Amino acid sequence: MQVTLRIRRYNPETDSRPHDETYLVEAEPTDRVLDLLNVVKGYQDGTLAYRRSCGHGVCGSDAMRVNGVNRLACKVLVKELGDRITVEPLLGLKVIKDLIVDMGPFFEHYRAVMPYLVNDEPEPPRERLQTPEQRARFDDTTKCILCAACTTSCPSFWASGEYVGPAAIVQAHRFIFDSRDRAATERLDVLNARMGVWRCHDIFNCTSACPRDIQITKAIAEVKMAITTGKID
Ligand code: SF4
Ligand code: FES
């Protein structure tokens, strides 16, 4: 089949503003949008810029807006979209070139929630044990690949890039509810600040956008509850 692929282009060295360019690409229905971008870059216009690495939904580097919805280009198939496909960069982050956005602010929010295990107690002889039930408590939020599809689909983040955003809250959740961790209070203080969890208004865009099917709005609600009750269980 022939696909009409419209791509939002922007070269800061030559363009005063972004514009769309259209490419005709021969494709199989089972091709992924990433395959189409690779055809354009390889055979039609080598100046096209986009991020990708694993090609299999693991690294999280190729999140972009596909037909108006945040997707991983390597996970969405042509047959799900039809023969007219529009590709744009993520919203809410500065465009560096074409489909590449500045992920700096996104990772600043990530670092703010201390996304690592904190425990200064003496090390046990072998390992810090936890029960299967304790491990299951935060299993869903361990699946995050930091693609930013959630944060950049959130109207609260579009309104203010200072909002910590759903991805950082997911990462905080993963450690707050880990029975081995001891820094929940510090993380909850960060998330109880003006640009923390209370900027979430349960819009659910993040949950719809997540390529890992993480129940993000539920995780955010659990963090809100922990702040309100002071209980982590
Ligand atoms: Fe991507 Fe989902 Fe992680 Fe958000 S929670 S960064 S959408 S994997
Ligand atoms: Fe790694 Fe798509 S290229 S997630």
Side-chain angles (χ1 to χ4, degrees), residues 106 143-151 167 170 209-212 214 216:
F106 175 81
K143 296 186 295 182
C144 176
I145 56 173
L146 292 169
C147 69
C150 53
T151 295
V170 162
C210 180
R212 305 288 292 179
I214 298 171
I216 302 175

Side-chain angles (χ1 to χ4, degrees), residues 34 51-62 72-74 145:
L34 181 60
R51 286 195 183 99
R52 76 287 189 199
S53 182
C54 70
H56 294 284
V58 177
C59 72
S61 63
D62 63 341
L72 292 180
C74 66
I145 56 173

Side-chain angles (χ1 to χ4, degrees), residues 2-229:
Q2 195 165 59
V3 173
T4 303
L5 184 63
R6 191 152 57 99
I7 305 177
R8 180 70 46 87
R9 302 293 307 267
Y10 174 64
N11 180 349
E13 291 176 0
T14 55
D15 302 335
S16 57
R17 62 171 71 104
H19 63 280
D20 290 347
E21 286 188 22
T22 302
Y23 306 85
L24 289 179
V25 183
E26 280 299 326
E28 297 293 329
T30 49
D31 280 342
R32 307 156 308 166
V33 168
L34 181 60
D35 296 318
L36 306 192
L37 294 174
N38 289 341
V39 168
V40 171
K41 186 168 179 70
Y43 299 98
Q44 300 189 26
D45 186 346
T47 68
L48 178 64
Y50 53 99
R51 286 195 183 99
R52 76 287 189 199
S53 182
C54 70
H56 294 284
V58 177
C59 72
S61 63
D62 63 341
M64 52 190 75
R65 274 165 68 84
V66 178
N67 286 359
V69 178
N70 282 4
R71 310 288 296 265
L72 292 180
C74 66
K75 277 194 83 176
V76 57
L77 303 181
V78 169
K79 65 182 178 186
E80 297 171 40
L81 303 165
D83 61 2
R84 301 186 80 79
I85 300 175
T86 304
V87 182
E88 301 160 282
L90 296 173
L91 293 176
L93 295 170
K94 184 171 170 273
V95 177
I96 296 174
K97 188 179 181 206
D98 296 336
L99 303 172
I100 295 180
V101 295
D102 179 4
M103 295 287 282
F106 175 81
F107 284 109
E108 258 175 53
H109 293 314
Y110 169 61
R111 283 191 289 272
V113 301
M114 305 162 65
Y116 40 80
L117 193 86
V118 177
N119 189 328
D120 294 331
E121 294 166 5
E123 284 182 23
R126 287 192 60 191
E127 57 190 308
R128 297 186 194 281
L129 296 173
Q130 62 185 175
T131 65
E133 292 72 26
Q134 287 171 327
R135 174 61 180 76
R137 180 67 187 86
F138 60 94
D139 185 65
D140 197 34
T141 46
T142 64
K143 296 186 295 182
C144 176
I145 56 173
L146 292 169
C147 69
C150 53
T151 295
T152 58
S153 69
C154 174
S156 296
F157 184 74
W158 300 338
S160 172
E162 288 180 43
Y163 168 41
V164 68
I169 303 171
V170 162
Q171 290 291 330
H173 180 285
R174 181 256 170 271
F175 291 100
I176 288 168
F177 293 95
D178 186 330
S179 59
R180 301 164 299 180
D181 187 84
R182 297 290 176 267
T185 306
E186 286 96 312
R187 292 192 194 90
L188 292 174
D189 283 347
V190 171
L191 295 174
N192 194 26
R194 194 171 66 88
M195 288 295 171
V197 285
W198 307 111
R199 288 250 154 187
C200 166
H201 302 298
D202 299 334
I203 298 167
F204 279 82
N205 275 14
C206 54
T207 303
S208 307
C210 180
R212 305 288 292 179
D213 294 329
I214 298 171
Q215 297 301 302
I216 302 175
T217 313
K218 178 168 175 273
I220 295 173
E222 289 174 358
V223 171
K224 287 176 177 171
M225 186 65 82
I227 292 171
T228 310
T229 62

